[in-house]
PDB file of all heavy atoms in Angstrom:
ATOM      1  N   LYS A1272       4.829  27.024  11.392  1.00 81.00           N
ATOM      2  CA  LYS A1272       4.316  27.841  12.524  1.00 81.00           C
ATOM      3  C   LYS A1272       2.918  28.266  12.153  1.00 81.00           C
ATOM      4  O   LYS A1272       2.647  28.663  11.025  1.00 81.00           O
ATOM      5  CB  LYS A1272       5.199  29.071  12.715  1.00 81.00           C
ATOM      6  CG  LYS A1272       6.612  28.732  13.212  1.00 81.00           C
ATOM      7  CD  LYS A1272       7.400  30.025  13.445  1.00 81.00           C
ATOM      8  CE  LYS A1272       8.802  29.722  13.979  1.00 81.00           C
ATOM      9  NZ  LYS A1272       8.799  29.352  15.355  1.00 81.00           N
ATOM     10  N   VAL A1273       2.046  28.212  13.119  1.00 78.00           N
ATOM     11  CA  VAL A1273       0.628  28.565  12.939  1.00 78.00           C
ATOM     12  C   VAL A1273       0.139  29.309  14.165  1.00 78.00           C
ATOM     13  O   VAL A1273       0.543  28.966  15.291  1.00 78.00           O
ATOM     14  CB  VAL A1273      -0.241  27.337  12.560  1.00 78.00           C
ATOM     15  CG1 VAL A1273      -0.323  26.377  13.716  1.00 78.00           C
ATOM     16  CG2 VAL A1273      -1.620  27.740  12.073  1.00 78.00           C
ATOM     17  N   LYS A1274      -0.652  30.346  13.958  1.00 71.00           N
ATOM     18  CA  LYS A1274      -1.216  31.087  15.075  1.00 71.00           C
ATOM     19  C   LYS A1274      -2.274  30.241  15.744  1.00 71.00           C
ATOM     20  O   LYS A1274      -3.103  29.597  15.123  1.00 71.00           O
ATOM     21  CB  LYS A1274      -1.835  32.400  14.597  1.00 71.00           C
ATOM     22  CG  LYS A1274      -0.834  33.453  14.219  1.00 71.00           C
ATOM     23  CD  LYS A1274      -0.351  34.198  15.420  1.00 71.00           C
ATOM     24  CE  LYS A1274       0.516  35.348  14.986  1.00 71.00           C
ATOM     25  NZ  LYS A1274       1.259  35.865  16.124  1.00 71.00           N
ATOM     26  N   HIS A1275      -2.244  30.276  17.097  1.00 64.00           N
ATOM     27  CA  HIS A1275      -3.247  29.571  17.902  1.00 64.00           C
ATOM     28  C   HIS A1275      -3.999  30.626  18.675  1.00 64.00           C
ATOM     29  O   HIS A1275      -3.393  31.461  19.370  1.00 64.00           O
ATOM     30  CB  HIS A1275      -2.531  28.589  18.826  1.00 64.00           C
ATOM     31  CG  HIS A1275      -3.464  27.809  19.689  1.00 64.00           C
ATOM     32  ND1 HIS A1275      -3.579  28.018  21.027  1.00 64.00           N
ATOM     33  CD2 HIS A1275      -4.328  26.822  19.356  1.00 64.00           C
ATOM     34  CE1 HIS A1275      -4.479  27.165  21.506  1.00 64.00           C
ATOM     35  NE2 HIS A1275      -4.973  26.464  20.511  1.00 64.00           N
ATOM     36  N   LEU A1276      -5.338  30.608  18.595  1.00 57.00           N
ATOM     37  CA  LEU A1276      -6.187  31.580  19.250  1.00 57.00           C
ATOM     38  C   LEU A1276      -5.795  33.041  18.872  1.00 57.00           C
ATOM     39  O   LEU A1276      -6.091  33.962  19.621  1.00 57.00           O
ATOM     40  CB  LEU A1276      -6.146  31.418  20.773  1.00 57.00           C
ATOM     41  CG  LEU A1276      -6.618  30.068  21.319  1.00 57.00           C
ATOM     42  CD1 LEU A1276      -6.399  30.002  22.791  1.00 57.00           C
ATOM     43  CD2 LEU A1276      -8.124  29.891  20.952  1.00 57.00           C
ATOM     44  N   VAL A1277      -5.118  33.203  17.784  1.00 58.00           N
ATOM     45  CA  VAL A1277      -4.730  34.470  17.239  1.00 58.00           C
ATOM     46  C   VAL A1277      -3.719  35.204  18.096  1.00 58.00           C
ATOM     47  O   VAL A1277      -3.171  36.234  17.719  1.00 58.00           O
ATOM     48  CB  VAL A1277      -5.923  35.400  16.925  1.00 58.00           C
ATOM     49  CG1 VAL A1277      -5.517  36.548  15.983  1.00 58.00           C
ATOM     50  CG2 VAL A1277      -7.045  34.618  16.216  1.00 58.00           C
ATOM     51  N   ILE A1278      -3.349  34.708  19.248  1.00 58.00           N
ATOM     52  CA  ILE A1278      -2.501  35.440  20.153  1.00 58.00           C
ATOM     53  C   ILE A1278      -1.118  34.837  20.341  1.00 58.00           C
ATOM     54  O   ILE A1278      -0.212  35.506  20.812  1.00 58.00           O
ATOM     55  CB  ILE A1278      -3.135  35.574  21.575  1.00 58.00           C
ATOM     56  CG1 ILE A1278      -3.493  34.211  22.155  1.00 58.00           C
ATOM     57  CG2 ILE A1278      -4.356  36.492  21.504  1.00 58.00           C
ATOM     58  CD1 ILE A1278      -3.835  34.197  23.608  1.00 58.00           C
ATOM     59  N   SER A1279      -0.986  33.556  19.972  1.00 67.00           N
ATOM     60  CA  SER A1279       0.331  32.921  20.177  1.00 67.00           C
ATOM     61  C   SER A1279       0.600  32.009  18.983  1.00 67.00           C
ATOM     62  O   SER A1279      -0.275  31.706  18.190  1.00 67.00           O
ATOM     63  CB  SER A1279       0.388  32.116  21.478  1.00 67.00           C
ATOM     64  OG  SER A1279      -0.543  31.058  21.408  1.00 67.00           O
ATOM     65  N   THR A1280       1.830  31.561  18.873  1.00 77.00           N
ATOM     66  CA  THR A1280       2.239  30.737  17.725  1.00 77.00           C
ATOM     67  C   THR A1280       2.628  29.345  18.222  1.00 77.00           C
ATOM     68  O   THR A1280       3.363  29.206  19.222  1.00 77.00           O
ATOM     69  CB  THR A1280       3.432  31.381  17.005  1.00 77.00           C
ATOM     70  OG1 THR A1280       3.024  32.660  16.545  1.00 77.00           O
ATOM     71  CG2 THR A1280       3.936  30.547  15.856  1.00 77.00           C
TER      72      THR A1280
END
Side-chain angles (χ1 to χ4, degrees):
K1272 292 181 179 287
V1273 65
K1274 287 277 188 194
H1275 182 250
L1276 298 174
V1277 195
I1278 56 167
S1279 64
T1280 299

